[in-house]
Amino acid sequence: MKNIRRIVKVLSTFVIMLALLGTAGATPKVIFTFDDGDTGVYFKAFPIMEANNQSGVAFLITNQVIKASGNNGWADINITEARDLYSKGWDISSHTANHYDLTTRNNTQLNMELNTSRNWLESSGFTRSYRFLAYPYGAYNSNVIAAVKNSGYLAARTVEDDAGIYKAYKLTDPDIYTMKTLMVYSFPAYGQAGEPPEVVKRKINDTIAQNGLLMLSFHMISDICCVAGVNAPEEYKTSDFKIISDFLKEKQDAGQLKVVTMSEYFGTDIPTPTPTPTPTPPPIDTTPPNITIVTPIATTYNEGTTILANYSCTDETSMKSCIGTVPNGTKINVTGAGNKTFTVFAEDTSGNNNSKTVNYTVLAQSPIQTPITVNISVSADSYVSSKAPTKNYGTATFIYVDAGRIGYFKYNFSVIPQKANISSAELHDFISWSQANGTAKMFAVTGTWTETGIKWSLRPTNESVSYGIYDIPICNTGNGDCTHMTKGFGNIVQRWVNGSLANNGFMITTAATITNSEIDAKESGHIPYISVTYT
Ligand SMILES: [Zn+2]
């Protein structure tokens, strides 16, 4: 018996040493928790613990806190008291919104209980501890646990006894939502076994021995004791509570344990650096908008033509305005000759401005002119003959054109403006007699001559290159004159009219010997004329 006791004692010491060695650096921990938020926690437990440099965890029924009086006595902690506790290092955590048995709630109600409480705690500023939960009545099942996880709680405490294991939980443990505890309540007066201070002290020592975690769960700390029908079984006497707190103080001072809150224990009092993405500020737009003008372009437009404005503005963010001289799709100004501008002003929503201008020219359109046709009669005509070199034929009735005879004709175009644009000129004359078809050439005469002075021996000079062909038709029926017309006079008339060639008329000449063509001279009464059309 003695030996056995000794072995047990040696073994115990050995176990303690092993525990200490095995967790070198770690310290046994005790966490005070208080469920339901009774003001006894604030008025009785808090001062005792504060004096002993201890902080606890208050699991509050958040919807009750909102309307609580906070009075000393049978009342609930109010927000002011909760904040005071929190500021002194306490954890303010969730005991749900309304303290229902969560296993009896449907999923909607369940989530509401968990989320409402959690959100209220967080928004009230209890940020280091709002994600710890104590199940009301300790009631949970797998569905409740799933909802608790889903609501973002990190850990949850049951009312189940730790069974002397004092597990040192980590947040990653699979049973972190079913944390065990030592329920410290019940007076003997209620006929329950209860946990008098001596029992709690023993458990504290065991925790130290095992280098574990002891979670103490209290409800009401009260001086009114032990009156059946008045008190609640959850009450714990203030003086007994003080014994426990003081005992822990001794152990603390001896360096044997630490009294911590849940947030201290799990490290959530130091806000975990959640990688909050650096909010990318909205891009500061310092670039002016871009302007594209499709029309008008830098060119010359004829007055009165239809040119539609076509432009657009783009920006890296967004446009505020894009305004052209005239609205997009409408006619630009092409009225009146001269230089014009078309400008687009653009502004983006960040206030950056830009403008773009296109210079264009409007060309005045002269009124459309109706072509004018004039018939100009020959003013001088004659021919010369090699057979009579000194003879003048200016008054002859016919102009002979054949081998040895050359016809000369002159027209006065002074009625046509010098700037006129000659579009056509036709020579009309009459053939009096021609034995056969023939071809003659027409040359511009460059030397001066007169109708009554010209003769073979005084033939004027002429251009070396013929400007046209004079077709001689056959005209031998004796039934009168044949009309004749030669086109292609436009160029030569143009030169005479605009003054680039002195108007000495033209000559018609041919090498044919048998043609014996006879062109009516003005003296015949059939007066040759040139029909000139010009604008
Ligand atoms: Zn409760």
Side-chain angles (χ1 to χ4, degrees):
M1 198 66 172
K2 251 189 174 180
N3 279 344
I4 289 168
R5 282 195 153 193
R6 222 181 136 209
I7 287 165
V8 167
K9 197 178 178 187
V10 166
L11 271 179
S12 320
T13 314
F14 184 67
V15 165
I16 290 166
M17 286 182 71
L18 262 187
L20 288 170
L21 282 171
T23 54
T27 310
K29 306 281 188 340
V30 174
I31 300 176
F32 278 98
T33 70
F34 301 86
D35 290 7
D36 302 340
D38 184 83
T39 51
V41 174
Y42 184 73
F43 290 104
K44 307 294 184 191
F46 170 47
I48 292 167
M49 290 172 64
E50 192 174 31
N52 287 335
N53 197 26
Q54 297 158 352
S55 297
V57 181
F59 286 110
L60 301 185
I61 305 159
T62 54
N63 279 2
Q64 286 187 17
V65 178
I66 295 165
K67 57 191 178 190
S69 72
N71 293 337
N72 195 355
W74 301 107
D76 294 316
I77 286 174
N78 64 20
I79 181 68
T80 307
E81 291 158 350
R83 291 214 162 107
D84 191 30
L85 289 173
Y86 189 79
S87 72
K88 301 285 169 46
W90 281 54
D91 280 356
I92 302 299
S93 298
S94 174
H95 201 33
T96 75
N98 295 295
H99 205 270
Y100 292 118
D101 178 343
L102 295 179
T103 63
T104 67
R105 314 303 285 174
N106 67 34
N107 282 342
T108 304
Q109 296 167 329
L110 175 58
N111 289 326
M112 196 274 285
E113 281 297 312
L114 296 168
N115 291 332
T116 303
S117 173
R118 193 197 74 111
N119 291 343
W120 182 87
L121 289 166
E122 184 183 15
S123 63
S124 300
F126 306 118
T127 51
R128 66 170 175 260
S129 55
Y130 74 103
R131 293 205 285 172
F132 301 118
L133 176 79
Y135 298 108
Y137 313 107
Y140 67 91
N141 56 26
S142 58
N143 186 50
V144 170
I145 289 175
V148 168
K149 276 190 200 175
N150 217 25
S151 293
Y153 288 98
L154 300 173
R157 202 218 65 211
T158 68
V159 296
E160 289 157 23
D161 194 78
D162 54 37
I165 292 172
Y166 315 115
K167 172 168 179 174
Y169 289 96
K170 298 188 297 294
L171 288 179
T172 51
D173 288 344
D175 56 348
I176 194 64
Y177 293 100
T178 55
M179 295 179 77
K180 305 295 192 286
T181 186
L182 172 64
M183 300 301 291
V184 189
Y185 55 42
S186 300
F187 291 102
Y190 291 97
Q192 297 183 25
E195 283 77 27
E198 291 311 312
V199 172
V200 178
K201 281 185 183 179
R202 180 170 53 76
K203 303 270 285 183
I204 290 167
N205 282 331
D206 287 352
T207 304
I208 293 167
Q210 296 183 30
N211 195 18
L213 166 67
L214 175 64
M215 291 193 81
L216 298 173
S217 291
F218 296 90
H219 285 77
M220 307 163 95
I221 307 301
S222 172
D223 294 321
I224 308 160
C225 181
C226 313
V227 181
V230 173
N231 295 139
E234 293 85 1
E235 287 181 43
Y236 206 75
K237 207 173 163 182
T238 307
S239 56
D240 286 347
F241 181 83
K242 187 170 188 304
I243 290 166
I244 295 168
S245 175
D246 288 348
F247 180 74
L248 284 168
K249 174 73 162 52
E250 286 172 31
K251 298 297 182 188
Q252 278 175 259
D253 292 347
Q256 291 182 287
L257 61 75
K258 284 182 180 171
V259 172
V260 294
T261 61
M262 289 184 77
S263 64
E264 287 171 330
Y265 184 82
F266 289 117
T268 61
D269 55 332
I270 302 160
T272 44
T274 39
T276 41
T278 316
T280 1
I284 299 165
D285 181 3
T286 55
T287 310
N290 193 44
I291 299 170
T292 304
I293 301 178
V294 179
T295 50
I297 60 173
T299 189
T300 299
Y301 293 113
N302 288 329
E303 184 178 11
T305 46
T306 297
I307 308 294
L308 300 180
N310 180 355
Y311 58 91
S312 60
C313 306
T314 56
D315 189 67
E316 60 179 307
T317 54
S318 57
M319 291 303 308
K320 181 183 177 189
S321 61
C322 178
I323 301 169
T325 303
V326 299
N328 222 348
T330 63
K331 292 179 183 179
I332 66 163
N333 177 17
V334 284
T335 303
N339 295 324
K340 314 281 184 185
T341 59
F342 184 89
T343 301
V344 174
F345 294 98
E347 184 178 0
D348 66 19
T349 50
S350 303
N352 301 303
N353 295 300
N354 198 4
S355 71
K356 195 172 198 175
T357 295
V358 169
N359 297 298
Y360 63 97
T361 304
V362 171
L363 184 66
Q365 287 301 94
S366 48
I368 296 167
Q369 292 172 333
T370 313
I372 297 168
T373 300
V374 291
N375 293 332
I376 295 172
S377 296
V378 70
S379 57
D381 56 5
S382 185
Y383 72 94
V384 296
S385 173
S386 61
K387 291 173 181 166
T390 59
K391 183 171 171 53
N392 171 265
Y393 297 94
T395 56
T397 307
F398 304 111
I399 307 295
Y400 292 95
V401 176
D402 54 18
R405 288 189 286 190
I406 301 170
Y408 288 85
F409 303 86
K410 210 187 282 188
Y411 290 79
N412 184 349
F413 298 103
S414 60
V415 298
I416 300 174
Q418 189 180 358
K419 289 184 177 177
N421 186 28
I422 309 298
S423 53
S424 74
E426 298 165 355
L427 170 63
H428 292 262
D429 53 14
F430 303 89
I431 306 295
S432 175
W433 180 260
S434 172
Q435 287 181 302
N437 289 320
T439 297
K441 289 182 178 180
M442 297 184 292
F443 293 86
V445 176
T446 50
T448 55
W449 58 278
T450 63
E451 186 175 29
T452 54
I454 191 169
K455 54 189 77 169
W456 182 269
S457 59
L458 291 176
R459 298 195 308 281
T461 54
N462 58 273
E463 288 186 335
S464 58
V465 176
S466 166
Y467 68 82
I469 299 296
Y470 188 94
D471 286 316
I472 303 168
I474 184 167
C475 186
N476 57 2
T477 60
N479 291 330
D481 296 345
C482 302
T483 58
H484 174 259
M485 190 267 278
T486 298
K487 291 187 179 180
F489 260 60
N491 286 345
I492 190 75
V493 174
Q494 183 75 70
R495 288 164 74 197
W496 286 326
V497 167
N498 68 24
S500 62
L501 177 67
N503 184 5
N504 289 301
F506 60 95
M507 67 181 194
I508 302 174
T509 181
T510 179
T513 56
I514 58 167
T515 301
N516 192 29
S517 58
E518 215 176 276
I519 302 169
D520 284 358
K522 69 180 193 300
E523 287 80 0
S524 72
H526 268 160
I527 303 169
Y529 66 94
I530 293 177
S531 181
V532 180
T533 300
Y534 67 92
T535 53

